Amino acid sequence: MSALLEDYAIVTEGLTRTYRVPKPKTGAKTKGKGTEFVALKGVDLTVRRGEIFGLLGPNGAGKSTLIKILSTLLLPTTGRAWVGGFDVEREARRIKPIINMVCGGETSGFGMLSVREQLWMFSQFYGLTNAQAFEIIDSMLETLGLAEAAHTRVSKLSTGMRQKMNFIRGFLNSPDILFLDEPTLGLDVSAARAIRIHVKGWLERHPQKTVLLTTHYMAEADELCDRVAIIDQGGIAACDTPSALKNRIGQDVVLGLELTGTEPRDGAFAGAISGLPGVRRSAFHQEPDRGTTQATVILKDDRPIPAVIACLAEAGAHVVGVHKSEVTLEDVFLELVGRKLHDEGGEKA
């Protein structure tokens, strides 16, 4: 194990976390002990030093629970985990100085402070001198386009500006291991791109640093991550490089369809094509604002396309858009989990 811990920034063995959900109260008493919810189910994971490791999964899959354990905010129920070579249960105090975490949408700090004051305050928690702190702060404010807002009160910031400020906070102590939980959530395209560029540049300058990234944006994971783990229902469904994961689907055709017509509650669209030869899997996602249904169908080759369109028409769908595309991590997720990442209640076929 000691040799393994030298090569890996993060190691978990059989990591499990169970929550007890209390039963509703009846009058002044609570009947019974409640039920158990298993958030993590025997997770075995290794993250190499110097890599950007992606963790992909829908809400409720166990991502946040795993990060909380690795960042010493939560204890596992069973199993063990090591971060930077230290045990998360027995050596939490040795882990805290070498890590940092940024969560999308967080509101840490004090609204009456200015952006620059707030970041300076956090720098003092990490023991930086004023010179060290302001060198990092001013440089990153400029890089992320926040220099003009340096003296703006935090309470006056937009959601995107606050998120960029929190992102800067994550780098103040130059952590050995940085946890980025949805770091580009709420940011526009330009700001999100600046953050991705900064992360890649930071690791190029510090090749022994490690980043664990969770994101709902598959293209972001594909661009940034050396390896990706897909987590669903508390377990790891797959873990490999993005290219290797996409190769699992082979040379399949990914067919995207835009449909009008109301998708019946019994899933008639999915049922209509589920038995067609050459159809491997499908998912349907309604977009009420546009009055359309977006379909993703994974096929063995081009030949089933006419039959797919004909069957959907018989089920009451009107095809208003068709396109083929290369395999993406979204398609890998669909293949492994049976639904698209953003379609947690979607149909399976």
Side-chain angles (χ1 to χ4, degrees):
M1 175 57 71
S2 59
L4 186 66
L5 296 181
E6 290 179 5
D7 295 330
Y8 290 92
I10 297 171
V11 177
T12 73
E13 287 185 349
L15 206 61
T16 300
R17 174 66 193 192
T18 302
Y19 296 94
R20 183 167 293 280
V21 181
K23 287 188 175 181
K25 291 185 177 181
T26 304
K29 297 182 179 180
T30 300
K31 302 268 187 179
K33 296 182 178 180
T35 59
E36 286 190 345
F37 169 70
V38 182
L40 292 178
K41 303 175 183 177
V43 171
D44 296 323
L45 199 64
T46 55
V47 179
R48 301 185 184 99
R49 296 182 187 273
E51 74 174 333
I52 303 180
F53 188 92
L55 195 61
L56 304 181
N59 292 333
K63 303 189 304 296
S64 295
T65 297
L66 178 56
I67 286 182
K68 286 179 180 177
I69 290 174
L70 297 176
S71 58
T72 74
L73 297 177
L74 189 68
L75 291 174
T77 303
T78 61
R80 298 185 69 184
W82 294 265
V83 175
F86 302 117
D87 188 290
V88 297
E89 291 190 72
R90 298 175 176 85
E91 301 173 294
R93 289 189 176 183
R94 302 187 69 178
I95 293 174
K96 292 180 187 297
I98 65 171
I99 66 172
N100 209 327
M101 179 167 62
V102 177
C103 300
E106 66 177 287
T107 56
S108 58
F110 299 94
M112 64 174 157
L113 297 179
S114 71
V115 171
R116 200 166 185 259
E117 289 169 341
Q118 173 113 297
L119 292 170
W120 173 84
M121 179 188 72
F122 279 106
S123 76
Q124 300 310 289
F125 300 157
Y126 305 126
L128 274 66
T129 67
N130 287 347
Q132 291 172 329
F134 287 125
E135 181 180 358
I136 297 171
I137 291 168
D138 292 339
S139 173
M140 290 194 67
L141 286 174
E142 187 68 36
T143 299
L144 295 181
L146 273 183
E148 292 185 1
H151 301 291
T152 301
R153 284 192 177 187
V154 172
S155 60
K156 302 295 185 181
L157 296 179
S158 66
T159 300
M161 293 170 73
R162 181 186 291 270
Q163 180 60 12
K164 287 191 280 188
M165 179 191 69
N166 290 332
F167 180 75
I168 294 172
R169 176 186 52 74
F171 289 85
L172 289 176
N173 63 328
S174 190
D176 292 339
I177 300 160
L178 178 61
F179 298 99
L180 297 178
D181 190 6
E182 303 286 351
T184 58
L185 185 67
L187 296 182
D188 59 31
V189 173
S190 177
R193 182 173 180 272
I195 280 182
R196 291 195 296 271
I197 290 172
H198 184 83
V199 170
K200 289 191 290 187
W202 184 67
L203 284 180
E204 288 173 0
R205 295 189 302 272
H206 307 283
Q208 288 303 307
K209 306 289 187 181
T210 304
V211 173
L212 178 61
L213 168 76
T214 75
T215 179
H216 277 89
Y217 305 124
M218 292 297 192
E220 184 169 82
D222 204 349
E223 176 186 344
L224 283 177
C225 297
D226 300 300
R227 289 190 301 143
V228 169
I230 293 176
I231 184 170
D232 184 51
Q233 297 181 354
I236 303 297
C239 180
D240 213 325
T241 64
S243 59
L245 287 173
K246 287 184 284 187
N247 286 339
R248 289 190 177 202
I249 302 182
Q251 299 301 313
D252 292 349
V253 172
V254 180
L255 182 67
L257 299 160
E258 184 174 12
L259 313 172
T260 58
T262 303
E263 162 69 319
R265 291 183 179 275
D266 62 0
F269 287 0
I273 65 172
S274 62
L276 290 177
V279 174
R280 297 192 58 173
R281 193 174 294 277
S282 65
F284 295 81
H285 176 68
Q286 286 185 301
E287 295 188 349
D289 293 342
R290 299 181 59 182
T292 62
T293 298
Q294 299 296 322
T296 302
V297 186
I298 298 177
L299 308 170
K300 291 183 179 179
D301 50 44
D302 290 339
R303 288 175 293 179
I305 292 177
V308 167
I309 294 175
C311 283
L312 288 172
E314 290 178 6
H318 302 286
V319 180
V320 296
V322 181
H323 70 273
K324 292 195 302 179
S325 60
E326 296 180 357
V327 173
T328 67
L329 285 178
E330 183 82 42
D331 305 317
V332 175
F333 190 88
L334 170 62
E335 176 73 12
L336 292 172
V337 176
R339 62 187 184 279
K340 298 179 75 172
L341 181 59
H342 296 285
D343 187 21
E344 297 173 34
E347 300 292 345
K348 298 179 184 181

